[in-house]
Structure formats: C-alpha cells, structure tokens
C-alpha cells in the first residue's frame, strides 16, 4: 500500500492552516478546511509531484485556478488508511503540466508533476494545498466568506507523511508536527496491530502455516504454529516470542516465503 506524502522536494511552508492572516477564516468559519501555502526552494516555481496515483475529480480555471485530485486506491496516512483527496491552487493559466491532464477523469501517475507553483490569484509563486479523507470535487463559501473544500477536510500533517527520501530539505515545516518516514509503501500483510499472534486466522495465516510445514492444514494460528514459529526464531537467532512481525517475516522472506 502506498503512503501518502508531502508533494514537494523542498518543504517551505509560508502559511500553515492556523495562521491569523488569509487562512484564518478558512479554519474558523463553517465549514472549515486546513490549507498550507508551499513556496518550494526559492521565489521561483518548484514542482508539485503526485505522491500516489490520483484521478482528476474537478478542475476550475478562475481567479484562483484549482485542481482536485482523489487517490485511485486506498493509501496509508499518519492517521488512517483510506482514499484521500488533495487540491492545488494558484497554478498559472499557461502551466504545461496542467495542460497535459486538465480533464476530469484523467489519471496522474505516482511521481508525475501535477503543476508548478504559480501566481494565479496570488502575489508570489506558491501553491495552496488542502487535503482530506475520501472524496472531494468542489468548494463552497463558508460562514467567513472563504471558499473551502467540500468533504472530510483534514490537516495536512494528518494526511501526509514527510517522506525523507523525497522531501530531502525542510526549510520551514510551518510549525506542524510532520511524521517522517523513510519508505513510501507499507505492508498490507499484517493485521492492524502489526504482527500475527496466537488466535489469528485468515489467508495470510494459511500462507504462514504452509510455509512452515505443509502438514498443517487450515488457517488458524494455534499452539502448534506458535511452537513452530518459536523454533524458527531460535534457529535463526531472532527474539523468541512465537509472534510473526516485521523481523521474523523478513527472515522468512529470505528463506523463500512470499507475501
Ligand atoms: Zn493559501
């Protein structure tokens, strides 16, 4: 499963969602959203990259050009696993990247450039980014007169990781508590607690049982499974706890196990 992460190589957030200037009415009106202004490496126009495959759900050419993108599959975020949306505002009318995928329904692949920072409806090059869970394809004027995104708007630090191999430079984190990660995917193999233990069942437990001994049929992680996992851990110099987590799985994969 892909992780969803901050979409610029250099993080320089010039206004966070809680600022008391132009974003103030965004997060104090009803409904509210949580925009960040991202200004990239300098005063020029840095790129916004697509962190995972996304589909264009809406695009508006107006005084504040905006594109809406929704992930084509569920992704992992710092606070949930689900579909996510992201909007990018202020790109310029002549942005060649936007011209490539300006139709609703167009797919933007992971790693492709969505747009460059711009000044459409802004004084200096930047992109105003909003994020949320699920789907969005529109905005609405809130009680403070600001256009906010329609949907389950969430603060960006709850929706995006900082992927350290991509966003290699942090000039200004906007005062937000970003969760860093050094991988852009996470395993779907484990149950939500992160490891298998006695009492678990299901397709992946069946695979584990098959791996250890073809004689054990069924998909139940029982006493026999625990014993055999402990023996495997002992033989391989691992911590002997009878559970299968990341370390034990890695050793199993080394020896031919396929997730
Ligand atoms: Zn803004």
């Amino acid at each position: 499963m892909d992780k969803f992460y901050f979409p610029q190589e250099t993080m320089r957030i010039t206004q966070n969602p809680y600022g008391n200037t132009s974003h103030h009415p965004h997060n104090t009106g009803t409904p509210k959203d949580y925009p960040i202004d991202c200004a990239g490496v300098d005063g020029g126009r840095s790129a916004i990259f697509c962190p995972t495959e996304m589909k264009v759900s809406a695009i508006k050419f107006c005084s504040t050009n905006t594109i809406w993108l929704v992930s084509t599959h569920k992704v992992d975020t710092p606070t949930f696993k689900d579909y996510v949306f992201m909007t990018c505002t202020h790109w310029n009318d002549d942005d060649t990247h936007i011209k490539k995928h300006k139709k609703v329904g167009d797919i933007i692949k992971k790693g492709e450039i969505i747009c460059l920072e711009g000044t459409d409806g802004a004084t200096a090059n930047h992109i105003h980014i909003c994020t949320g869970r699920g789907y969005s394809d529109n905005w609405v004027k809130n009680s403070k007169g600001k256009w906010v995104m329609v949907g389950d708007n969430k603060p960006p630090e709850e929706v995006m990781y900082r992927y350290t191999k991509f966003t290699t430079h942090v000039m200004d984190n906007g005062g937000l508590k970003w969760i860093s990660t050094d991988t852009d995917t996470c395993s779907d193999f484990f149950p939500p607690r992160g490891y298998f233990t006695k009492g678990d069942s299901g397709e992946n437990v069946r695979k584990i049982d098959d791996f250890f001994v073809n004689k054990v049929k069924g998909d139940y992680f029982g006493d026999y499974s625990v014993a055999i996992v402990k023996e495997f851990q002992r033989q391989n110099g691992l911590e002997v706890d009878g559970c299968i987590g990341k370390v034990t799985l890695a050793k199993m994969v080394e020896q031919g196990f396929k997730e």
Side-chain angles (χ1 to χ4, degrees):
M1 177 179 274
D2 278 358
K3 291 183 177 177
F4 198 70
Y5 54 87
F6 180 81
Q8 283 194 294
E9 294 165 306
T10 295
M11 181 185 280
R12 183 161 70 97
I13 297 170
T14 54
Q15 188 182 178
N16 72 19
Y18 317 107
N20 54 14
T21 52
S22 66
H23 291 173
H24 191 60
H26 278 264
N27 67 78
T28 52
T30 311
K32 54 183 77 178
D33 65 3
Y34 303 91
I36 46 174
D37 288 341
C38 303
V41 67
D42 55 23
R45 296 169 62 197
S46 299
I48 318 298
F49 291 85
C50 207
T52 190
E53 187 181 87
M54 300 187 90
K55 191 186 261 192
V56 178
S57 57
I59 187 160
K60 292 185 199 289
F61 292 84
C62 54
S63 59
T64 48
N65 288 337
T66 297
I67 188 168
W68 280 254
L69 302 166
V70 180
S71 65
T72 59
H73 50 133
K74 291 184 178 180
V75 295
D76 179 56
T77 77
T79 55
F80 60 86
K81 289 181 181 11
D82 203 350
Y83 292 87
V84 295
F85 67 84
M86 176 168 77
T87 63
C88 299
T89 299
H90 297 317
W91 38 268
N92 292 336
D93 288 339
D94 64 355
D95 192 317
T96 53
H97 303 283
I98 287 289
K99 281 183 180 156
K100 271 200 301 192
H101 45 65
K102 66 178 177 186
K103 289 195 317 295
V104 169
D106 280 358
I107 299 286
I108 307 183
K109 292 202 173 72
K110 179 183 170 87
E112 261 190 88
I113 293 175
I114 300 166
C115 59
L116 302 181
E117 295 166 32
T119 49
D120 185 74
T123 47
N125 281 319
H126 76 283
I127 286 286
H128 171 108
I129 292 176
C130 294
T131 51
R133 181 173 183 162
Y135 184 85
S136 177
D137 64 2
N138 211 343
W139 52 22
V140 64
K141 206 174 236 188
N142 78 2
S143 58
K144 299 269 174 96
K146 281 284 182 178
W147 290 94
V148 300
M149 301 310 159
V150 174
D152 187 4
N153 296 304
K154 293 201 174 295
E157 70 276 23
E158 292 181 14
V159 179
M160 303 192 287
Y161 290 97
R162 177 199 159 208
Y163 175 32
T164 54
K165 288 178 183 157
F166 173 73
T167 302
T168 51
H169 293 94
V170 178
M171 294 168 68
D172 191 335
N173 67 8
L176 304 174
K177 289 196 167 61
W178 296 95
I179 306 289
S180 290
T181 177
D182 60 2
T183 62
D184 60 352
T185 57
C186 69
S187 174
D188 296 329
F189 185 75
F190 296 111
R193 82 168 82 82
Y195 61 91
F196 287 106
T197 189
K198 190 178 166 184
D200 285 342
S201 59
E203 171 69 8
N204 289 338
V205 170
R206 188 188 58 70
K207 284 188 195 170
I208 290 165
D209 282 346
D210 282 354
F211 173 75
F212 282 120
V213 52
N214 290 319
K215 288 198 292 290
V216 176
K217 290 296 172 207
D219 63 352
Y220 182 69
F221 201 109
D223 288 332
Y224 191 75
S225 305
V226 171
I228 215 159
V229 169
K230 281 186 172 172
E231 183 53 32
F232 176 81
Q233 290 171 328
R234 199 170 292 121
Q235 286 179 11
N236 287 281
L238 307 176
E239 191 193 335
V240 179
D241 61 2
C243 299
I244 297 179
K246 265 198 271 187
V247 176
T248 302
L249 179 65
K251 189 57 81 175
M252 289 162 63
V253 169
E254 249 178 61
Q255 299 184 21
F257 181 75
K258 291 192 171 61
E259 280 184 38

